[in-house]
């Protein structure tokens, strides 16, 4: 159990450092690259929630995972529609590659867990991930976007990420209280 | 004390003709419709003052589904799709708070008049 907690803490720390790493490594992204980062970030959370749907022990974690799939899929559909309208093709870049690599590592780690241990680790990861995405939106993506419509989309996504973060924190506390 | 009561009575008598002229106290309440917009993961307005028989219309202006669910689970809109709306009539017994089941941090309040 302790090793599971340590894994969760390590993952949380890695994600907490993500915005600083992103800012240091790639301070300049064009709009097509920012769009790719946004799409990748949403897709990652949908993937992780798909894993959670098959592994979660508690109903509230399962419901949270379903909400993540619904919401992040909807946001990506909106982003795809906007990209089409603007004639922008999202461009792969170092930031989205870094996000994907971190997610793959987290998925491998979470895949080894079952039941309550999975719930705890998944929710800890969701707290850290949404905090990291929120920080990246505020510090890198929104201020770095030139196109006003893309910036508006990102600003519109922010309340969703903040609500998910708060919800994830509440579930984490409930899981902790139920131990 | 007596002076205060006398003063209060006087004010009531002075106000009475105006109140009667306006029909207050004898005209039945006309049901109102309150539109509550769901946008940016918030219920707007956050507090709605309602009376029994009023209609509440929840309008989802977000890109994701939401619900309007009573704090005591007595009523539940089910998923309100993006761009859709759901309405209900305020019954006599009514929960004072509601939330979104998908996003429980989203909360609204009904203030009963």
């Amino acid at each position: 159990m302790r090793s599971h907690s340590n894994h969760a803490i390590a993952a949380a720390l890695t994600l907490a450092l993500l915005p600083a790493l992103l800012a240091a490594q790639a301070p300049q992204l064009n709009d097509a690259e920012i769009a790719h980062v946004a799409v990748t970030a949403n897709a990652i959370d949908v993937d992780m929630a798909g894993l959670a749907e098959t592994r979660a022990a508690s109903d509230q974690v399962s419901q949270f995972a379903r909400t993540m799939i619904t919401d992040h899929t909807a946001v990506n559909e909106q982003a795809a529609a906007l990209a089409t309208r603007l004639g922008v093709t999202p461009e792969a870049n170092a930031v989205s590659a870094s996000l994907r690599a971190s997610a793959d590592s987290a998925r491998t780690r979470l895949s080894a867990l079952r039941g309550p241990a999975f719930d705890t680790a998944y929710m800890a990861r969701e707290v850290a991930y949404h905090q990291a995405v929120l920080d990246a939106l505020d510090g890198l993506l929104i201020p770095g976007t030139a196109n006003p419509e893309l910036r508006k989309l990102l600003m519109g996504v922010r309340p969703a990420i903040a609500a998910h973060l708060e919800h994830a924190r509440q579930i984490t506390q409930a899981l902790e209280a139920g131990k | 004390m007596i002076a205060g009561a006398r003063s209060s009575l006087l004010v009531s008598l002075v106000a009475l003709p105006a109140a009667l002229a306006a029909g207050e106290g004898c005209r039945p309440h006309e049901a109102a419709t309150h539109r509550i917009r769901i946008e940016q993961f918030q219920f707007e307005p956050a507090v709605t003052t309602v009376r029994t028989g009023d209609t509440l219309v929840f309008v989802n202006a977000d890109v994701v589904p939401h619900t309007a669910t009573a704090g005591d689970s007595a009523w539940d809109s089910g998923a309100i799709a993006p761009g859709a709306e759901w309405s209900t009539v305020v019954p006599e017994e009514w929960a004072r708070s509601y939330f979104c089941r998908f996003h429980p941090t989203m909360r609204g309040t009904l203030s009963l008049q």
Side-chain angles (χ1 to χ4, degrees), chain B residues 8-89:
Chain B
S8 173
L9 179 64
L10 187 63
V11 169
S12 298
L13 287 172
V14 168
L16 190 58
L20 289 174
E24 286 178 19
C26 59
R27 190 171 57 191
H29 160 62
E30 285 182 17
T33 297
H34 308 272
R35 292 180 76 80
I36 299 173
R37 194 171 167 85
I38 308 173
E39 190 167 24
Q40 302 274 294
F41 282 66
Q42 289 184 328
F43 293 105
E44 179 60 37
V47 179
T48 307
T49 302
V50 299
R51 289 199 272 195
T52 301
D54 284 359
T55 298
L56 294 175
V57 182
F58 291 90
V59 183
N60 185 2
D62 266 339
V63 296
V64 304
H66 290 292
T67 77
T69 306
D72 61 1
S73 299
W75 50 275
D76 185 356
S77 65
I80 307 173
E85 58 185 50
W86 177 79
S87 64
T88 189
V89 175

Side-chain angles (χ1 to χ4, degrees), chain A residues 15-84:
Chain A
L15 282 166
L17 293 171
L18 192 59
L21 292 172
L22 297 182
Q25 289 172 1
Q28 296 292 326
L29 294 178
N30 63 38
D31 282 4
E33 290 171 330
I34 285 175
H36 196 272
V37 171
V39 168
T40 303
N42 279 301
I44 283 170
D45 213 47
V46 172
D47 289 350
M48 213 62 80
L51 177 66
E53 275 200 309
T54 63
R55 301 288 165 89
S58 88
D59 288 343
Q60 58 182 344
V61 174
S62 294
Q63 176 59 54
F64 179 86
R66 281 195 291 277
T67 298
M68 293 306 102
I69 291 172
T70 302
D71 288 4
H72 289 287
T73 300
V75 169
N76 261 1
E77 285 170 355
Q78 193 188 29
L82 176 63
T84 301

